[in-house]
Amino acid sequence: MAELQEKYQIKYKGRKGRKRLQEIEGALNQIRQGMGNVYDDCEEMRLLETCMPDPELLLYFMRYLGELDAFWHGAETYGLLRLCAAWVREHEAAELSQPDVDDMLESLLPSAEWGHLVRPAQEGAQ
């Protein structure tokens, strides 16, 4: 994982912070391996990673992407990454937040897929 910005270095400072960061990095690696590390070097993924400097936010996005990749397997996942990168460019977003990621995915995904992704998260929150 790239060097963290100063505000995130502070967030993950100390023993508990480092442990949380290691857990996040482990989960990200597991998701990437589940997708066969196919998207790690593509330009669109690098752009998205630069717009999500908070590892927790990147994990949030990658969980959605991993679930969609398991559902779609391949070309559609890469297409979504391209659409996400286009969304970032169109909105001139330098740094995304969780609501931005939700808005982006909701605007790009067909309603059935978005409903499939959101429903389990909402059920788990109740």
Side-chain angles (χ1 to χ4, degrees), residues 25-77:
E25 289 174 348
L28 284 169
N29 287 333
Q30 187 175 13
I31 292 169
R32 287 186 169 117
Q33 287 175 356
M35 293 189 297
N37 296 321
V38 175
Y39 309 105
D40 292 351
D41 294 327
C42 73
E43 175 185 338
E44 293 82 1
M45 184 55 104
R46 288 192 304 269
L47 172 66
L48 291 168
E49 287 175 343
T50 60
C51 292
M52 297 181 214
D54 183 359
E56 263 184 294
L57 181 62
L58 183 59
L59 178 59
Y60 179 78
F61 173 75
M62 290 298 291
R63 283 185 174 148
Y64 278 137
L65 188 64
E67 191 168 329
L68 285 168
D69 187 62
F71 184 68
W72 283 339
H73 299 295
E76 292 90 350
T77 306

Side-chain angles (χ1 to χ4, degrees), residues 4-16:
L4 293 174
Q5 291 179 2
E6 187 176 341
K7 64 182 174 181
Y8 298 113
Q9 288 178 357
I10 293 169
K11 181 178 178 179
Y12 298 106
K13 190 176 179 179
R15 186 176 53 83
K16 288 182 180 180

